[in-house]
Amino acid sequence: MINNYYLIENNEQVGPFSHTELMERGLSPAEMVLSPLTNEWNSASNLPELHEYFTLQGIYLPTNANAANFWWRLLAYIIDYVVIILVVAALAVFLGFFEAYTGAHTDMLFDDRNDFAFKLVLVISFMLYHAIFEATRAQGSIGKIICQLKVVDMDGRRISFRKALGRNLAKILSSILCGIGYLLIFWNDRHQGLHDQMAKTYVIRKKN
């Protein structure tokens, strides 16, 4: 029967279960399942008929079909860059009004002598911005939210702040040598950049 699914529990085969009974058990992506559609054992994450179930649980399993390509990721990056520029511009305007009303000198923050420090703070802020958003339920920055992109681990789950921070620090390596680490997104089946591969993460596009 098409509903004859089997599981491995305590090193023993249990079942059969219908498709509905299988989902009611609360499957994990790594659980081994014998599907009547393939007649062989697979992890639950590899069975297409269970992908919708996992999506409803907030688990977005990375596949070749839902992997976000380079252009979607570039668009999200551009949106984030614009957001950061607007925030910096708003800060500059605020400091200008603050200086006008108080007489305090704030221009030293943008002094050429502090240019390196300012850029360093900007880079760190950009990394933290991405890491914090990726570790939240949104699973991505403002740009990724708009483009319906999510950062997930190998099991399709939300990543921790520690993994998100490591992923964004690894972007430094992706950026060197003319951004070759980012260009890997073109050649990888699941569009992973070097930093994705190092952090064992994926960027998927959630389609309506």
Side-chain angles (χ1 to χ4, degrees), residues 177-191:
L177 297 178
C178 301
I180 190 68
Y182 288 105
L183 294 179
L184 290 176
I185 296 172
F186 279 113
W187 306 318
N188 189 278
D189 288 340
R190 296 190 178 178
H191 302 304

Side-chain angles (χ1 to χ4, degrees), residues 60-73 148-150 152 185 188-192 201-207:
Y60 301 93
L61 298 168
T63 65
N64 291 359
N66 66 11
N69 63 35
F70 179 86
W71 302 112
W72 277 113
R73 295 177 66 168
Q148 298 187 10
L149 308 183
K150 290 183 179 289
V152 300
I185 296 172
N188 189 278
D189 288 340
R190 296 190 178 178
H191 302 304
Q192 286 180 293
T201 58
Y202 300 86
V203 179
I204 63 98
R205 185 160 191 263
K206 180 185 176 184
K207 300 178 181 179

Side-chain angles (χ1 to χ4, degrees), residues 86-104:
L86 290 176
V87 170
V88 172
L91 177 61
V93 171
F94 171 78
L95 291 177
F97 279 111
F98 180 79
E99 181 175 342
Y101 280 99
T102 65

Side-chain angles (χ1 to χ4, degrees), residues 9 15 17 40-41 49 71 73-74 92 96 120 145 149 183:
E9 288 187 357
F17 303 102
E40 60 183 26
W41 290 94
E49 67 266 31
W71 302 112
R73 295 177 66 168
L74 178 61
L120 180 61
I145 293 171
L149 308 183
L183 294 179

Side-chain angles (χ1 to χ4, degrees), residues 1-207:
M1 294 177 60
I2 195 170
N3 275 330
N4 285 355
Y5 288 88
Y6 293 87
L7 301 174
I8 294 293
E9 288 187 357
N10 299 320
N11 296 320
E12 294 184 0
Q13 178 177 306
V14 294
F17 303 102
S18 69
H19 187 270
T20 301
E21 290 172 334
L22 196 67
M23 293 187 293
E24 288 175 348
R25 293 176 64 87
L27 282 175
S28 69
E31 200 161 351
M32 296 303 295
V33 181
L34 177 60
S35 169
L37 300 180
T38 61
N39 293 317
E40 60 183 26
W41 290 94
N42 281 284
S43 62
S45 62
N46 287 331
L47 298 177
E49 67 266 31
L50 297 179
H51 283 185
E52 183 177 355
Y53 161 76
F54 286 121
T55 298
L56 292 174
Q57 307 304 310
I59 301 173
Y60 301 93
L61 298 168
T63 65
N64 291 359
N66 66 11
N69 63 35
F70 179 86
W71 302 112
W72 277 113
R73 295 177 66 168
L74 178 61
L75 177 60
Y77 177 85
I78 292 172
I79 293 172
D80 287 324
Y81 186 79
V82 171
V83 169
I84 294 296
I85 292 299
L86 290 176
V87 170
V88 172
L91 177 61
V93 171
F94 171 78
L95 291 177
F97 279 111
F98 180 79
E99 181 175 342
Y101 280 99
T102 65
H105 294 287
T106 60
D107 57 340
M108 64 180 180
L109 294 174
F110 302 96
D111 193 281
D112 290 341
R113 292 170 297 178
N114 296 322
D115 187 53
F116 175 77
F118 176 75
K119 288 181 179 178
L120 180 61
V121 170
L122 195 62
V123 169
I124 293 174
S125 299
F126 203 68
M127 287 183 179
L128 288 175
Y129 159 76
H130 280 282
I132 291 171
F133 269 95
E134 289 169 9
T136 66
R137 293 183 63 181
Q139 295 177 252
S141 61
I142 293 174
K144 285 186 173 65
I145 293 171
I146 293 174
C147 295
Q148 298 187 10
L149 308 183
K150 290 183 179 289
V151 180
V152 300
D153 64 11
M154 292 186 296
D155 293 326
R157 298 181 185 274
R158 184 173 75 188
I159 63 177
S160 66
F161 174 75
R162 181 177 179 180
K163 181 180 282 287
L165 185 59
R167 176 180 182 273
N168 283 279
L169 285 172
K171 287 181 179 179
I172 297 174
L173 295 178
S174 289
S175 300
I176 62 178
L177 297 178
C178 301
I180 190 68
Y182 288 105
L183 294 179
L184 290 176
I185 296 172
F186 279 113
W187 306 318
N188 189 278
D189 288 340
R190 296 190 178 178
H191 302 304
Q192 286 180 293
L194 177 61
H195 52 286
D196 294 312
Q197 295 178 34
M198 293 178 66
K200 298 181 179 179
T201 58
Y202 300 86
V203 179
I204 63 98
R205 185 160 191 263
K206 180 185 176 184
K207 300 178 181 179

